[in-house]
Amino acid sequence: MDEAAWVHLVTRVVEIVGTAIIVVGSFGALGTFLVRMARRSASRDQLVSRFRSSLGQSILLGLEFLVAADIINTVAVEPTIRSLIVLAGIVLIRTFLSFSLEVEIEGRWPWQKASGKEATRPGDRGR
């Protein structure tokens, strides 16, 4: 097997791992949601919020693996200007999706995390 074939194999494995993370994480989040709904362990709104958060986290992690596979494939196998432009487009689209999912999961902009959490912690007041 030559180097390009190995890189394609590695890329394929990383893509499969990313896809598996999304699929398994989605079904895991759904299963957890259904079990908690049956037990009525919290309010419906809280359960839906937790489900959406778990589902979003699974999708985000899977997307990270898929982006990594695209980068490996483009840079290692075909480092042409056209392939780099295609890679840039893919990364931009997936980054936008990741950013949107993170905003949806957290309910605030990423740059508001630190200031929002620090301000609400009781032990941090007066420091």
Side-chain angles (χ1 to χ4, degrees), residues 30-51:
L30 179 62
T32 302
F33 170 74
L34 293 174
V35 167
R36 288 180 177 167
M37 279 291 281
R39 292 182 183 170
R40 300 189 188 276
S41 61
S43 73
R44 184 178 182 277
D45 290 340
Q46 289 174 331
L47 293 175
V48 169
S49 177
R50 287 181 193 161
F51 170 67

Side-chain angles (χ1 to χ4, degrees), residues 2-126:
D2 63 335
E3 185 179 325
W6 279 107
V7 172
H8 280 298
L9 178 64
V10 169
T11 301
R12 206 43 80 193
V13 169
V14 174
E15 286 175 341
I16 290 169
V17 169
T19 304
I21 289 171
I22 293 172
V23 171
V24 171
S26 297
F27 283 115
L30 179 62
T32 302
F33 170 74
L34 293 174
V35 167
R36 288 180 177 167
M37 279 291 281
R39 292 182 183 170
R40 300 189 188 276
S41 61
S43 73
R44 184 178 182 277
D45 290 340
Q46 289 174 331
L47 293 175
V48 169
S49 177
R50 287 181 193 161
F51 170 67
R52 292 179 72 198
S53 178
S54 296
L55 181 61
Q57 289 172 350
S58 299
I59 293 170
L60 278 174
L61 184 59
L63 278 174
E64 294 296 329
F65 274 85
L66 294 173
V67 168
D70 287 335
I71 291 170
I72 292 167
N73 192 42
T74 302
V75 174
V77 175
E78 303 174 40
T80 64
I81 295 296
R82 183 167 192 254
S83 64
L84 291 175
I85 291 171
V86 170
L87 174 65
I90 291 169
V91 169
L92 282 173
I93 290 168
R94 289 192 176 160
T95 300
F96 175 76
L97 285 171
S98 297
F99 183 77
S100 300
L101 282 169
E102 187 169 340
V103 169
E104 182 72 24
I105 291 167
E106 298 294 328
R108 61 183 169 268
W109 298 106
W111 54 83
Q112 292 175 326
K113 277 185 182 178
S115 62
K117 285 186 178 178
E118 288 175 10
T120 58
R121 282 191 226 150
D124 288 347
R125 291 186 186 153

